[in-house]
Amino acid sequence: ISNTLRYGIFVIISSNLVLSNNTIKNVPGYGIILEKDSIGANISENRISHTGNCGIWIASGSVGATIRGNKVADYAEKEEKKYGIAIYQAGSEKNKTVILRNEVTNPGTETDQNGIHLNASDYVEIAENIVNDVAGCGIYVYQSKFCTIRENQVSNTTKNGIYVTTSCDNTTITDNQVS
């Protein structure tokens, strides 16, 4: 999927969706966007590059997603404060979101291009990811409770390797490598 007018793949209100083995490149907006109460998505083994906005965006009550084995590079080339993988208002105790074994590298030249970004998303596990060469934080967690951040490799960031801030109660951070 390439050279679209807006997004690579846009999904609204779905259950148990599988997005696997897609190549998405040269899109002016998001690579993959999942919104409005989509439950149980499996987003795996996709290659996403040269997006104008976030590589992968999960939002608006979409819970229980597994984001695994994706490669996101050269994201947010046209907008600042956009991210490789972003979870916004998506997460619940019953349907945990998992971000596992992804590679996120090389955002656009704007500032605050975090590799993995959580905002208002509880019960998210971020594990075994590689985040490298980002113009912002490697992993950024804001107002997200009961999260686990473990065994990630974060290097060459222009801000913090892992940054957890404001109302992130009961979050566990273990066995990460930051350089």
Side-chain angles (χ1 to χ4, degrees):
I1 300 168
S2 64
N3 300 312
T4 65
L5 292 177
R6 196 159 184 196
Y7 306 123
I9 299 172
F10 190 133
V11 179
I12 298 175
I13 309 173
S14 70
S15 293
N16 303 314
L17 173 76
V18 175
L19 294 174
S20 184
N21 292 309
N22 297 289
T23 298
I24 299 167
K25 61 183 179 179
N26 300 322
V27 296
Y30 299 91
I32 294 173
I33 181 170
L34 183 65
E35 284 217 348
K36 305 230 191 274
D37 302 317
S38 292
I39 298 169
N42 181 342
I43 300 171
S44 63
E45 305 299 330
N46 298 288
R47 293 153 309 285
I48 302 166
S49 63
H50 299 287
T51 63
N53 207 305
C54 298
I56 299 172
W57 171 264
I58 311 291
S60 303
S62 295
V63 297
T66 299
I67 303 160
R68 180 183 45 81
N70 299 285
K71 292 184 179 184
V72 179
D74 303 307
Y75 60 90
E77 293 183 321
K78 297 186 186 320
E79 296 188 43
E80 90 176 57
K81 295 187 178 177
K82 300 302 175 189
Y83 318 108
I85 298 172
I87 312 295
Y88 178 71
Q89 294 181 341
S92 75
E93 184 174 11
K94 183 180 175 185
N95 294 297
K96 295 178 180 164
T97 297
V98 177
I99 304 169
L100 178 67
R101 295 187 188 133
N102 299 283
E103 291 182 33
V104 180
T105 60
N106 201 31
T109 58
E110 301 295 333
T111 58
D112 295 326
Q113 312 291 40
N114 301 327
I116 298 173
H117 183 98
L118 259 64
N119 185 336
S121 298
D122 300 337
Y123 299 97
V124 176
E125 179 179 13
I126 303 170
E128 302 174 33
N129 298 284
I130 297 171
V131 181
N132 188 25
D133 292 326
V134 298
C137 298
I139 298 171
Y140 177 94
V141 180
Y142 175 74
Q143 293 186 342
S144 300
K145 298 175 182 169
F146 300 99
C147 294
T148 301
I149 303 166
R150 67 171 177 83
E151 299 176 55
N152 298 284
Q153 296 177 25
V154 179
S155 61
N156 298 325
T157 65
T158 61
K159 292 193 174 179
N160 301 299
I162 298 173
Y163 187 52
V164 177
T165 182
T166 312
S167 300
C168 292
D169 302 340
N170 299 300
T171 291
T172 303
I173 304 168
T174 58
D175 299 318
N176 297 282
Q177 295 179 15
V178 179
S179 61

